[in-house]
Structures are given as structure tokens and as C-alpha cells.
Amino acid sequence: MDIQLKRGLLDVCVLSAIKTEDSYGYKIIKDMKPYIEMSESTLYTILKRLELAKMLTVRSCEHGGRLRKYYHITEAGLKRIEDFKEEWREVMSIYKFVTKEDKND
């Protein structure tokens, strides 16, 4: 798969994982696990990129004597999810065109 396409898909997956409630790294990985495997290093790279793009915000909170970072989706992050849904409709239309001959085999 094209690396840029995969990067964009992973970004949207992470945003979707925090769409309904703030979350932290380990929980994000756990919530995504039934759908996609992701290493901690990959996740934290994505979280940093999304923070720089202002698609999420970060707050630290003490939990069990340690600081835990919680991630919160912003309006820009929500918009990215909606944009992705529209883009995906176009991708599916192209896919149907490309594979239409396969149905006749």
C-alpha cells in the first residue's frame, strides 16, 4: 500500500478512536486492536503529527502516581474524519470502476 495513503488512513483511525471521548495511548491502541495493529512508537508519532496539525489537543493528568496524557479531538479533527468519509466514497467509486471487469470472469 502507498505509504502516504496508509499514513492518512492511520491518522483517521486514531482520530476516530478519540472521537467520542478523550483517551490515552494504551487505550487507543487497545480500542483499535480489533481493527488494526499499531505499535506504540507509530501511535505516538501520529499523535504528535495530529497535535501539530491542531486536530487534537493534549492534557496531562496524574493517574496512579504517574502523569498520563489524554488526547481530545478538535473541530479540525472532526472535520478531517468527515472529509475522509467523502474521499472514501470517491475511492470506492474508483475501485468499482477498476474491478468491474473482474465480475465478468
Side-chain angles (χ1 to χ4, degrees):
M1 176 182 286
D2 177 73
I3 192 71
Q4 292 298 342
L5 176 59
K6 188 171 184 177
R7 176 190 242 184
L9 292 172
L10 292 176
D11 287 1
V12 173
C13 288
V14 170
L15 289 169
S16 293
I18 63 172
K19 185 171 122 174
T20 58
E21 67 178 343
D22 294 358
S23 194
Y24 53 95
Y26 176 75
K27 186 169 183 328
I28 293 169
I29 288 174
K30 189 174 136 196
D31 290 347
M32 290 175 55
K33 194 170 189 152
Y35 308 98
I36 188 165
E37 289 284 330
M38 183 181 299
S39 69
E40 284 186 43
S41 61
T42 299
L43 174 64
Y44 288 109
T45 299
I46 292 168
L47 289 168
K48 190 64 177 168
R49 181 172 56 244
L50 293 172
E51 180 184 8
L52 290 171
K54 303 207 183 310
M55 291 189 199
L56 58 82
T57 59
V58 184
R59 67 178 167 83
S60 294
C61 194
E62 189 173 328
H63 178 80
R66 297 177 50 200
L67 281 182
R68 180 184 279 173
K69 288 184 177 180
Y70 284 86
Y71 299 90
H72 176 80
I73 195 165
T74 64
E75 287 299 319
L78 292 170
K79 183 175 182 330
R80 178 63 196 114
I81 292 171
E82 292 307 312
D83 290 347
F84 169 80
K85 290 176 185 177
E86 187 58 39
E87 292 163 4
W88 197 251
R89 285 184 197 92
E90 184 178 348
V91 168
M92 290 307 297
S93 179
I94 293 167
Y95 175 81
K96 287 177 185 175
F97 174 76
V98 170
T99 61
K100 73 180 182 304
E101 294 163 2
D102 296 346
K103 294 176 183 165
N104 297 328
D105 291 344

